[in-house]
Amino acid sequence: MFTKTLHIPTADGQADAFAAYPDGGERHPGVLMYADGFGIRPVLREIARELAGHGYYVLVPNLFYRHGPAPVIELPEHIGEEVRPAVFAQLMPLIEAHTAEHVLSDADAYLGFLATQPEVGAGPVAVTGYCIGGLLAMRTAAAHPGRVAALAAFHGPVGVDGPDLFSKLTAQVHFGHAEGDMTPQALGELNEALDAAGVGYTSEIYPGTVHGFTMSDTDAFNPTALQHHWDRLLPLLDRTLANS
C-alpha cells in the first residue's frame, strides 16, 4: 500500500489531502472520501487504507483547509463524550463557514485532481462520506452526474438539502443511517423521495447504532455496524467501478 500527503490547487488556495492506493504501478478506480466533522486523523487514514487495499485510489481532502492544515484543531486520541462538546465548539464555526459554494468549488478541484493522477483509471469515480461528509458527498454526486457512478453516505444528514437534490443523482446510492439519527417513519419518507426521483439506492437504519458509529476513536463506535458498512460499500463500488 502506498500513502502520501498531497496539496491540491483550489480556487481558494491549496487543500492538503491524504491519498492511499495499491503499490504496483497499475491504474485504479478513484474514490473521493469526505471525512466527518473531526477531519483527517488516524482513523480516517485507516479507513482509507483499508478501502485502497481492495483496489482503489482513495483521496481524503482536508475539508477545512481554508483555516489551516489538518488537524485544524487539536484532537484527543479518543473523542469521548466528556470532550465532545468542547471539540464541537471549536469545529462548528469551521463547519458553518464551509458553504455550499465552497463545497462545489472544492469538489471540482478534487475530481479534477483525480482525473490527472497516473494511478487513477479513466472511468467514473465514487464519492463516500461520513457524518457531514455524507452531505458533501451528496452535493458532489448531484453536481457531477456524469462523473460519479457511486455514492455512499454513513450517519450523514443526506436529506438536509431537500428532495430536489435527489433528482440530480445518477449514481448508484447507499445510505447507512444511525438508529439514533433516523426514525423508521423518517426513513420511509426519505426512501419515498428517493423512489420519486428515480434513484437506484439502498437506504437502511443500522440496528443499535448512534451517530458516528463507523469511527473507532469515538464512543459511538460500533464494530458490527462498521463491518456492515464494508458489506454494503464494497459491493456497491465493485458493481459501479469494475470497468474504471
Side-chain angles (χ1 to χ4, degrees), residues 31 124-129 134 137-138 140-142 144-154 158 166 168-176 194-195 197-203 232-242:
V31 179
V125 301
V127 183
T128 68
M138 274 276 299
T140 299
H144 296 270
R147 179 87 170 109
V148 177
L151 161 65
F154 301 93
V158 294
F166 299 153
K168 300 176 183 177
L169 293 173
T170 60
Q172 293 292 305
V173 173
H174 174 70
F175 294 148
L194 291 167
D195 287 332
V199 178
Y201 74 94
T202 57
S203 173
R232 292 291 187 262
L233 177 60
L234 294 175
L236 171 67
L237 300 186
D238 186 55
R239 290 194 308 270
T240 55
L241 302 184

Side-chain angles (χ1 to χ4, degrees), residues 7 11 22 43 55 70 108 111 148 175 198 205 233:
H7 291 87
V43 67
D108 290 345
L111 294 180
V148 177
F175 294 148
I205 294 171
L233 177 60

